[in-house]
Amino acid sequence: TPFMFGTATRRLFGVFHAADERRATGAAVLLCAPFGHEALRVHRFYRVLADRLSRQGVAVLRFDYFGTGDSGGDDEDGDLEGWAGDIGVAHRELLRRSGALQASWFGARLGATLALRAAPQTTPAVQRLVLWEPVLDGSRYFQELRRAHVGELALSHSLPEARWHREMREPDVFAGECLGFALSPALRDGIAALRPAAPERLGARRIKMLAPSDDAGAAQWAEAVRMKHPGAQASLSAFEHPLIWTSNAHANNEMVPAEALQRMMSELHGNE
């Protein structure tokens, strides 16, 4: 069921997947999207995940942040704090529509980062966070985006010159756009400030982070959480998958890796 929600000045677009009444568990899951091109890469994954969960009796809400997708606003209106607030609004809307008393959140990449940021400020409290490769190191993330952005420009416009590539690596060149999506100054500054540190409050009863085994930022975050919150139910698990977040090639290739779908289903429904 597609619908609009939020305030008159910050309208958000959502799609509600009602729980199958024959299997209703009273559980609810909010899906928090990544940023820009990565959101396109996982759009189908999120849709399939929502459909699977709803068939298993779990109510699900997918939504677009302000300034993205079919929500109000423009690309340039995006910023981390505003989007974190949108998650809180979507959380309460999910509980209202589903009748659930609590909800879990799932986020990939920057969507996972936003979920981690939004959870401590959200009421009612979040039951569980499942974070798939969250962006914890803003500098590293920008390096990945810059490489993908420059590569796509070179491929699309046939610009193989080495000098041009060197110039595009400069931070002040890669400023206002990434793979066709605007980077507002507020969004850019917010991402650049990200560091793999433990938050003051975790904001959820349980947190499960899934990241590649060589993700140093995730390992650093997990260690910081253990030091700052020794009694917390927060864990990090190594998880590999074939999905390339910034790839723009082969549009018809698999974007719903079976192993990833099964793992996320297990994390969000199997442990209820």
Side-chain angles (χ1 to χ4, degrees), residues 108-128:
R109 303 293 283 157
L110 196 60
T113 309
L114 290 166
L116 194 59
R117 174 173 294 204
Q121 284 79 45
T122 299
T123 54
V126 183
Q127 179 184 19
R128 175 176 41 181

Side-chain angles (χ1 to χ4, degrees), residues 119-183:
Q121 284 79 45
T122 299
T123 54
V126 183
Q127 179 184 19
R128 175 176 41 181
L129 294 177
V130 178
L131 312 173
W132 188 14
E133 292 188 35
V135 176
L136 299 170
D137 186 331
S139 176
R140 178 182 173 185
Y141 182 58
F142 273 134
Q143 290 176 8
E144 296 172 0
L145 294 181
R146 183 182 293 110
R147 282 195 296 268
H149 185 75
V150 172
E152 283 301 315
L153 286 176
L155 181 65
S156 301
H157 300 286
S158 301
L159 296 170
E161 294 90 348
R163 190 176 73 121
W164 180 84
H165 278 265
R166 287 195 299 271
E167 290 174 353
M168 284 299 293
R169 292 193 192 105
E170 295 299 320
D172 58 342
V173 175
F174 180 74
E177 180 187 345
C178 173
L179 294 170
F181 291 86
L183 273 171

Side-chain angles (χ1 to χ4, degrees), residues 56-81:
Q56 294 298 319
V58 180
V60 182
L61 176 61
R62 297 184 286 131
F63 76 102
D64 296 331
Y65 308 115
F66 189 71
T68 73
D70 292 310
S71 288
D74 299 319
D75 277 8
E76 293 79 4
D77 296 326
D79 70 280
L80 295 187
E81 289 305 318

